[in-house]
Amino acid sequence: MSEWISDIVGPGYAQSIQVETVLYEGRSAFQHIQVASSPMFGRMLILDHAVQTTEADEFIYHEMLVHPALVSHPRPRRVLVIGGGDGGTLEEVLKHQVEHVTMVEIDRDVVEVSRAFLPSICGRAFDDRRVRLLIDDGIAFVQQTQEKFDVILVDSTDPKGPGVALFSEVFYAACARALTDDGMVVAQSGSYIFQRELTEHVREHLRSVFPMAMTYWAAIPAYPGVLWSFTCGSTRHDPRSLTHELIADRLRLVSTRYYQSQMHPVAFTLLPSLEA
Ligand code: SAM
């Protein structure tokens, strides 16, 4: 069986990936869930017909969502992950000397399907004693929590279905309240090329609640348009001011395949038309 999955990101543009085998298919209370294998990308997690992560390039997305913030913050001890059901973000966070990681994922089925069919992505992250997994709506959690986090990572789907609220000003304002005085938040902010409005929307919202907000990018082949953006809101630490030496020192104990100290300034260098 060979068919193609088409990820439509905007008017007039879709990216199609060949699918060989569907290993899992089901519908949860929140979304349609598939795990399929592709000759080019290996096993892929697909939610509501949009590719979320693939074995071939998940490391690029997860490393770039996690490490720029965790090396920008001098002592990230308490981290909150919103979404991230595949466990890839969690695995990267646990490479750092963090003491406690809370992960708030709305859909238990995504976690269980990922643990069963995508072990190369989540590894043993869900079994780490530093991890607290909560099955809950991320926006409700940040609005209610009295806890304070050093870094909040928003590994959400696109702004569809349960993910819509995770792109709202109300959500980012609640994140700002759930951070320590020198805390930072990073959110995936869509295709750098085909979802420019979304990227700017996220940056404007973060800019309205943080003294600093900036966008950076990475090349992720499985994502439509390949160039993907992340947007950071920070109260004190500016990722753009880090030296190569400081990044290399803070990455000393962290193994990475894509994110390197040399890569950091490149990622924060945007096309002039999208300059922060
Ligand atoms: N890397 C992917 C991307 O950029 O499209 C995201 C991957 S991750 C699988 C996205 C996760 O966000 C999903 O597991 C989904 O269930 C979760 N999610 C969506 N809305 C949520 C919400 N309101 N609260 C918590 N998790 C949510």
Side-chain angles (χ1 to χ4, degrees), residues 127-183:
D127 303 322
D128 191 295
R129 60 169 181 71
R130 294 170 288 175
V131 172
R132 175 178 60 158
L133 172 63
L134 302 175
I135 301 299
D136 193 359
D137 183 347
I139 191 164
F141 176 82
V142 285
Q143 285 177 323
Q144 288 150 16
T145 188
Q146 301 306 313
E147 295 174 67
K148 295 289 183 188
F149 299 92
D150 300 305
V151 175
I152 299 177
L153 302 165
V154 187
D155 181 5
S156 71
T157 48
D158 280 350
K160 290 184 206 144
V164 170
L166 301 182
F167 292 82
S168 66
E169 190 163 341
V170 173
F171 172 67
Y172 295 128
C175 286
R177 285 193 302 277
L179 285 170
T180 52
D181 295 348
D182 64 341

Side-chain angles (χ1 to χ4, degrees), residues 80-157:
L80 173 63
V81 176
I82 302 284
D86 55 75
T89 294
L90 196 57
E91 193 184 44
E92 293 303 322
V93 171
L94 293 166
K95 290 179 180 176
H96 292 261
Q97 309 285 306
V98 294
E99 291 166 5
H100 178 89
V101 189
T102 296
M103 178 170 150
V104 182
E105 163 58 56
I106 201 167
D107 194 336
R108 185 181 300 284
D109 291 13
V110 174
V111 174
E112 287 172 3
V113 166
S114 299
R115 295 188 76 165
F117 292 92
L118 298 165
S120 67
I121 294 180
C122 56
R124 301 189 57 71
F126 289 110
D127 303 322
D128 191 295
R129 60 169 181 71
R130 294 170 288 175
V131 172
R132 175 178 60 158
L133 172 63
L134 302 175
I135 301 299
D136 193 359
D137 183 347
I139 191 164
F141 176 82
V142 285
Q143 285 177 323
Q144 288 150 16
T145 188
Q146 301 306 313
E147 295 174 67
K148 295 289 183 188
F149 299 92
D150 300 305
V151 175
I152 299 177
L153 302 165
V154 187
D155 181 5
S156 71
T157 48

Side-chain angles (χ1 to χ4, degrees), residues 113-270:
V113 166
S114 299
R115 295 188 76 165
F117 292 92
L118 298 165
S120 67
I121 294 180
C122 56
R124 301 189 57 71
F126 289 110
D127 303 322
D128 191 295
R129 60 169 181 71
R130 294 170 288 175
V131 172
R132 175 178 60 158
L133 172 63
L134 302 175
I135 301 299
D136 193 359
D137 183 347
I139 191 164
F141 176 82
V142 285
Q143 285 177 323
Q144 288 150 16
T145 188
Q146 301 306 313
E147 295 174 67
K148 295 289 183 188
F149 299 92
D150 300 305
V151 175
I152 299 177
L153 302 165
V154 187
D155 181 5
S156 71
T157 48
D158 280 350
K160 290 184 206 144
V164 170
L166 301 182
F167 292 82
S168 66
E169 190 163 341
V170 173
F171 172 67
Y172 295 128
C175 286
R177 285 193 302 277
L179 285 170
T180 52
D181 295 348
D182 64 341
M184 307 172 74
V185 61
V186 181
Q188 73 91 359
S189 48
S191 165
Y192 183 27
I193 305 294
F194 294 104
Q195 295 172 312
R196 182 79 61 81
E197 272 172 44
L198 176 64
T199 309
E200 287 166 1
H201 167 94
V202 171
R203 193 169 56 237
E204 289 324 307
H205 279 339
L206 284 171
R207 201 167 265 159
S208 68
V209 285
F210 289 92
M212 289 178 269
M214 70 294 290
T215 296
Y216 60 98
W217 63 275
I220 306 170
Y223 285 177
V226 180
L227 299 185
W228 206 255
S229 75
F230 304 87
T231 300
C232 174
S234 183
T235 51
R236 192 180 304 163
H237 310 296
D238 187 345
R240 296 162 298 189
S241 66
L242 297 186
T243 62
H244 159 72
E245 291 71 26
L246 184 60
I247 297 171
D249 179 55
R250 290 184 179 168
L251 273 184
R252 228 176 34 261
L253 305 174
V254 178
S255 63
T256 57
R257 295 164 60 196
Y258 182 90
Y259 179 71
Q260 309 287 325
S261 55
Q262 303 88 331
M263 157 64 61
H264 188 95
V266 176
F268 284 87
T269 306
L270 299 184

Side-chain angles (χ1 to χ4, degrees), residues 53-68:
T53 191
T54 80
E55 288 181 319
D57 63 3
E58 60 85 15
F59 67 97
I60 303 172
Y61 171 87
H62 291 124
E63 288 184 15
M64 291 307 284
L65 178 67
V66 173
H67 302 311

